[in-house]
Amino acid sequence: MRCEVLVIGGGPAGLMAAIYLARFRRRVVVIDGGASRAALIPRSHNLPGFPAGLPGGELLARMRRQVEELGVPIVRGTVTALEMGNGDIIASYDGEPIMAQRVMLATGIVDKQTPLADWTSAVRDGELRYCPVCDGFEATGRKIAIIGPLEHAAGKALFMRVYSCDVTLIPVGDERNDARRRELDAAGVRVTPPLHALRRGEGAIVAAFADGSSERFEIVYPAMGADVRSDLAIRLGARHTPDGFLEVDTKQRCGVDGLYGIGDVVTDLHQIAVAFGHAAVAACHAHHSLPMRYAGPSG
């Protein structure tokens, strides 16, 4: 299989890139593993034009339909390797090579989970949330817990104090960071003993602590970090942070000729609107970097 642009990942960034490129009349293929983080969003309230919000799954379904109506194939599967060859980037997919002149890596991240057994149900019911930038407004006035290593979780806890006077940080591990604890205390954020266990209970999440006590919270935000799906690019020589996020220039290029990083895989604000912007910038640059294919008399 050969195409001009291969898009790896079918989340908001990848699908937006495919829409732009198809409308530029480029030969595009999308390969998607079906694990977009956006699919977990119960309802996104900061998408313009949807004041009542839009579920992440519905957004993806609408975008997939738009991509398919533009004639772009969306192939379900996983790219296992990328390599350079004769001016192309060669992707290995199901043992077969796909050759592309440009590649958009839109593989995203996977949030590290708290020890909550039925976490997907808690996400669906709005008790477990991952993005305070996305839905902190909807948590206004609620009893909120942030769970994670103290240094990593403190910023999210302080951010949520904008929305509620009842914010608690539940540390994972017994990390001592007196400066951070003083900052949290000054902002009115309580720090509990370390986390022992989590369970769901009648519209709340119950946290059990290392000292044997427990407490109920209406909303829990994990701050456990994430695994970045950037290995394909890093093995090819892409620039990246120590955490594995791709470092890109103003055109979303990550240091490998013909390879772009877009969406959550990039070290940037992890928002759908930002992913759309990444996709537009990268698609426009890729289009103009390729030889033009002028229309004939029949269009």
Side-chain angles (χ1 to χ4, degrees):
M1 186 186 298
R2 181 182 291 276
C3 60
E4 289 180 295
V5 185
L6 174 65
V7 178
I8 305 175
L15 294 173
M16 181 61 88
I19 289 168
Y20 267 73
L21 289 159
R23 290 175 56 81
F24 292 146
R25 306 184 72 180
R26 293 296 180 182
R27 294 187 296 270
V28 187
V29 173
V30 176
I31 296 184
D32 179 35
S36 172
R37 185 172 180 249
L40 296 172
I41 301 172
R43 187 169 290 272
S44 177
H45 291 273
N46 57 2
L47 283 173
F50 295 93
L54 185 70
E58 183 177 343
L59 171 67
L60 293 174
R62 289 177 181 225
M63 293 186 73
R64 282 193 294 265
R65 286 196 299 272
Q66 189 172 353
V67 169
E68 289 167 346
E69 287 170 3
L70 287 165
V72 175
I74 302 176
V75 181
R76 178 57 63 92
T78 302
V79 173
T80 56
L82 294 175
E83 61 180 305
M84 306 299 295
N86 297 322
D88 288 335
I89 300 178
I90 304 169
S92 297
Y93 160 72
D94 279 356
E96 296 293 330
I98 300 177
M99 285 166 282
Q101 293 170 273
R102 303 289 183 267
V103 170
M104 306 275 166
L105 194 71
T107 42
I109 62 177
V110 180
D111 294 291
K112 295 179 181 178
Q113 297 299 327
T114 62
L116 183 66
D118 52 349
W119 66 270
T120 54
S121 298
V123 171
R124 183 190 62 230
D125 295 339
E127 297 165 11
L128 193 68
R129 305 183 183 186
Y130 292 87
C131 180
V133 174
C134 306
D135 53 33
F137 185 83
E138 281 68 44
T140 298
R142 308 288 290 278
K143 183 179 173 70
I144 299 165
I146 313 297
I147 297 178
L150 191 143
E151 177 60 33
H152 186 73
K156 188 172 285 190
L158 293 170
F159 181 90
M160 289 307 300
R161 272 292 283 119
V162 171
Y163 300 104
S164 175
C165 63
D166 193 347
V167 177
T168 299
L169 191 154
I170 304 173
V172 173
D174 197 17
E175 174 189 352
R176 296 302 307 175
N177 188 323
D178 292 338
R180 261 313 204 186
R181 286 174 180 266
R182 286 193 296 270
E183 185 180 7
L184 292 163
D185 183 64
V189 175
R190 184 166 53 95
V191 180
T192 70
L195 179 69
H196 173 66
L198 286 177
R199 64 176 176 83
R200 297 187 70 197
E202 298 180 359
I205 293 179
V206 180
F209 307 124
D211 66 354
S213 63
S214 63
E215 192 170 348
R216 297 167 61 88
F217 297 93
E218 293 178 274
I219 296 173
V220 168
Y221 281 92
M224 308 288 290
D227 292 319
V228 188
R229 299 185 182 121
S230 57
D231 286 354
L232 290 171
I234 291 173
R235 291 199 300 266
L236 208 58
R239 297 185 299 264
H240 60 92
T241 71
D243 293 328
F245 289 103
L246 297 182
E247 294 183 327
V248 297
D249 64 13
T250 57
K251 302 301 182 184
Q252 301 302 131
R253 296 172 294 186
C254 54
V256 176
D257 190 33
L259 182 64
Y260 300 79
I262 57 177
D264 286 355
V265 75
V266 173
T267 174
D268 208 335
L269 184 64
H270 297 149
Q271 295 286 294
I272 292 172
V274 173
F276 286 168
H278 287 177
V281 169
C284 288
H285 185 272
H287 171 61
H288 289 292
S289 73
L290 291 167
M292 289 298 177
R293 297 170 54 240
Y294 298 123
S298 62

